[in-house]
Amino acid sequence: MKKWGFILGFIAIISFVLAGCSSEGDAASGEKTKVKVGLNGSGVPIWEKVQEKAEKENIDIELVEFADYVRPNMALADGDIDLNAFQTVSYFDSFIEEHDLDLKPIGTTIIAPMGVYSEKYKDVKDIPDGSSIAVPKEATNMGRALLLLEQAGLIGLPEDFDGNGSLDIIEDNPKNLKFEPIVAAQTPRVLPDVAASVINNGVAVEAGFVPVEDAVYIEDETAQPYINIIAARADEADKEVYQKIVELYQEEDVADHIKKTYNDSLIPTFVPLEDIGW
């Protein structure tokens, strides 16, 4: 009996030691969690900063670049990537409804603000009656432009305006302004010929403008439909590692990095998901 007691005791000790070694081995191995994030090229400098921070949290972020605005959501739904971060909530809501995708925002990131620019006037209030204003002609761009002009106090739109632009949707035009639909990429070039032009953020930056300095009126963080998001598959939205990535993105050092890298042309916008309808 003593012999068997000794053997059983020895086995118990060995088992305890092995269990301890196994636990220490897992911790010491520093095994990383890999997360694939789909982007358009313009967001890469931001995510390189997040990638660097995530490395310290044992999260290996792989950046996957796409050249269009369709594939990142399809790739996410198909499981080819784990997250994406390239789109406004307005675009996202429309896309997942149209394609019947079970995706969900998990965090907000930036606004790339659209602005009203003018070579003749320093304030939208100074634009005279009967003036011409250029607006981007594409439906979603025009809708955003009209909402901006409404916010600026120049026009009125229906309460149920769905964001898809059409000039005949304008209900109130107290200054009898004329609107000239222009291909978005051309909106800076017509500035000498109009009182003002509504220009997308990326187009304005390419034309040499600093939006927050040069626009006579500009979107701010209250432009909720145009806040950009990080999205995940709905059944993984609460995954701890994804929530940690959102947390890392929404820290002050990343906000500072965005402002510096993009010369204040992008606005870091970290708001609760309820504020964007989620």
Side-chain angles (χ1 to χ4, degrees):
M1 291 296 294
K2 288 183 180 180
K3 180 178 179 182
W4 280 109
F6 173 80
I7 292 172
L8 290 172
F10 181 75
I11 291 172
I13 292 169
I14 292 296
S15 298
F16 177 80
V17 170
L18 289 174
C21 289
S22 174
S23 176
E24 289 174 6
D26 289 340
S29 68
E31 190 172 333
K32 295 189 187 317
T33 303
K34 188 167 187 176
V35 179
K36 293 183 178 181
V37 180
L39 309 171
N40 287 111
S42 60
V44 170
I46 303 172
W47 279 91
E48 286 176 340
K49 174 72 173 178
V50 179
Q51 190 179 44
E52 179 184 316
K53 293 176 60 171
E55 190 78 18
K56 298 173 184 176
E57 303 289 340
N58 262 5
I59 303 170
D60 178 14
I61 296 178
E62 179 184 343
L63 305 180
V64 182
E65 294 186 54
F66 295 89
D68 65 86
Y69 285 83
V70 174
R71 186 59 192 153
N73 279 329
M74 303 308 294
L76 179 58
D78 292 342
D80 297 332
I81 57 176
D82 303 302
L83 303 173
N84 68 37
F86 74 100
Q87 62 195 323
T88 66
V89 68
S90 176
Y91 177 84
F92 174 82
D93 289 346
S94 175
F95 191 97
I96 64 170
E97 181 179 356
E98 180 183 351
H99 296 273
D100 192 26
L101 302 180
D102 195 18
L103 307 179
K104 185 178 179 181
I106 62 169
T108 62
T109 57
I110 58 171
I111 285 179
M114 178 179 273
V116 182
Y117 296 79
S118 176
E119 291 184 351
K120 302 177 178 69
Y121 307 103
K122 293 184 177 180
D123 193 308
V124 288
K125 295 176 183 176
D126 300 329
I127 295 173
D129 291 7
S131 297
S132 293
I133 295 180
V135 294
K137 68 186 295 184
E138 303 81 8
T140 53
N141 282 329
M142 185 186 289
R144 185 173 182 178
L146 294 180
L147 284 169
L148 181 61
L149 292 172
E150 181 182 48
Q151 187 180 2
L154 294 177
I155 62 171
L157 299 170
E159 289 187 10
D160 61 350
F161 180 55
D162 65 2
N164 285 311
S166 171
L167 294 179
D168 59 13
I169 203 76
I170 297 172
E171 281 190 343
D172 190 21
N173 184 6
K175 288 192 172 188
N176 294 311
L177 300 170
K178 302 179 182 72
F179 299 96
E180 299 184 19
I182 305 289
V183 174
Q186 303 299 320
T187 47
R189 296 186 183 183
V190 300
L191 275 169
D193 306 316
V194 295
S197 183
V198 183
I199 306 177
N200 289 63
N201 181 276
V203 176
V205 171
E206 287 177 8
F209 293 115
V210 177
V212 295
E213 295 177 6
D214 297 325
V216 297
Y217 194 85
I218 195 167
E219 285 176 341
D220 58 24
E221 61 273 9
T222 64
Q224 293 172 358
Y226 308 111
I227 296 174
N228 284 43
I229 59 167
I230 302 169
R233 287 179 291 280
D235 62 347
E236 294 187 344
D238 295 326
K239 206 168 181 179
E240 186 176 348
V241 66
Y242 298 167
Q243 292 299 321
K244 184 63 180 179
I245 289 171
V246 171
E247 180 186 325
L248 294 173
Y249 191 113
Q250 293 183 344
E251 290 177 342
E252 191 63 31
D253 59 337
V254 174
D256 292 341
H257 176 72
I258 292 169
K259 293 173 187 176
K260 182 177 179 181
T261 302
Y262 294 89
N263 196 22
D264 284 327
S265 63
L266 300 180
I267 304 172
T269 308
F270 310 147
V271 300
L273 294 176
E274 305 85 68
D275 287 5
I276 58 169
W278 284 87

